[in-house]
Amino acid sequence: MKILLMGGFFFLGFILCIYNKTSVALGTLTFVIFVHISCGIIGYFLGVGIIIEDVLRPTGITGRVNILANIALFSCVFYGIRCFLENKNRWLLFYISFSSFILILLSGTLKNIISLFGAYVVYVFLSSKNKIVSAFFFIILALPLTYLVIFYTPIGERLIETAIAGVNVEVEEGEKLESSLQWRVLHWKLLLDDWIGRFFFQGSGIGQAVNMNALKISDGKGYSAHSDWLKYLVELGPIFFSVFIYYHYKLVKPLYVASREGAALESATFYTFIALVIAMLAGPVYFTVCFFYFFWLVLGVIAGKRYLKPEKIKKHYSHELNVEVLRNTLK
């Protein structure tokens, strides 16, 4: 069903674009994200959220910290880049991007902070015309933000907790794990061990990571992999996983080429994809709202733009163009 939803939203974005309704697609997306981000922040200050380790974390109208944080990651990068590259509605774009960044801090999602920094580093190396200036700006910006994150957000507490606990996968059954990172690493090790021992070539099968020999809750049900890339590696095996990687490379290559030419929407979508890919290393992102709704809708709009090349646009909208010529002639 989720794969069908991806295709459905891609097709929806494509159709809206070729029928000159791009503003409807992007405007609806902006409205939905604006509502999610605003409800998340307002709800947090009203005490709405989930308390994890004595810390309130916002959930907004999604009801889940992780889902809301991933939406914030998407919108922070997507609208942040468009704010710098587009001339229209810059204050709105900046507001959504900045609010999304604040929401990421409030949510305490370390992987999303790392994903933001990672996406910027990739931008410096791939697209920045002046890499030295961009790197210097990154350092100047990163230092105070790092101080803010460590000492004034829940993320800092988790960093300190992780640093003290370290990473140790040699634990006894029933032993308490001191950090979520340690839990993840142990879970990943068990999944990899089971994959190498029983499913190395063929993989365990799509959706079967929760049934592998790894950490389980008291009733015997397995946890999710908490890493999309590891999940698809153990489920698909090396051959199909390579196909999976190649497919996504072909998917985003045109976005990268267009971003090098300064296309705002393509640049925003490409670096949003980079941020989400980094977040997938340590969390479930691929089948959350920000990816299979938002990303694929925008991708469909971009595909529609590529389909309507200049000569096709002139033919497709000849009536509208002729009306505009008539108006200019009358003037």
Side-chain angles (χ1 to χ4, degrees), residues 127-149:
S127 297
S128 177
K129 295 180 180 179
N130 194 327
K131 292 180 172 52
I132 296 177
V133 174
S134 297
F136 177 77
F137 178 76
F138 172 75
I139 294 173
I140 295 298
L141 183 63
L143 290 177
L145 285 179
T146 302
Y147 179 85
L148 174 67
V149 167

Side-chain angles (χ1 to χ4, degrees), residues 69-81 96-107 109-124 137-138 141-142 145-146 149 155 268 270-281:
N70 289 339
I71 292 174
L73 175 62
F74 176 96
S75 60
C76 185
V77 180
F78 184 71
Y79 291 102
I81 291 178
I96 297 177
S97 179
F98 183 75
S99 300
S100 300
F101 176 72
I102 297 299
L103 190 58
I104 292 173
L105 295 180
L106 296 176
S107 67
T109 49
L110 178 59
K111 69 174 175 40
N112 287 12
I113 286 290
I114 294 174
S115 300
L116 281 177
F117 283 101
Y120 188 85
V121 170
V122 172
Y123 168 79
V124 170
F137 178 76
F138 172 75
L141 183 63
L145 285 179
T146 302
V149 167
I155 296 176
F270 175 73
Y271 287 105
T272 299
F273 178 81
I274 295 297
L276 295 176
V277 162
I278 298 173
M280 288 177 196
L281 291 171

Side-chain angles (χ1 to χ4, degrees), residues 32-53:
V32 171
I33 289 179
F34 179 86
V35 170
H36 274 295
I37 300 302
S38 299
C39 289
I41 293 178
I42 294 172
Y44 174 82
F45 289 104
L46 293 177
V48 177
I50 296 177
I51 297 178
I52 303 176
E53 297 179 351

Side-chain angles (χ1 to χ4, degrees), residues 117 155 159 279 286 290 292 308:
F117 283 101
I155 296 176
L159 280 172
Y286 194 82
C290 66
F292 76 80
L308 291 176

Side-chain angles (χ1 to χ4, degrees), residues 235-248:
E235 290 184 351
L236 298 176
I239 297 176
F240 289 110
F241 183 70
S242 299
V243 174
F244 180 77
I245 295 294
Y246 178 74
Y247 162 74
H248 285 83

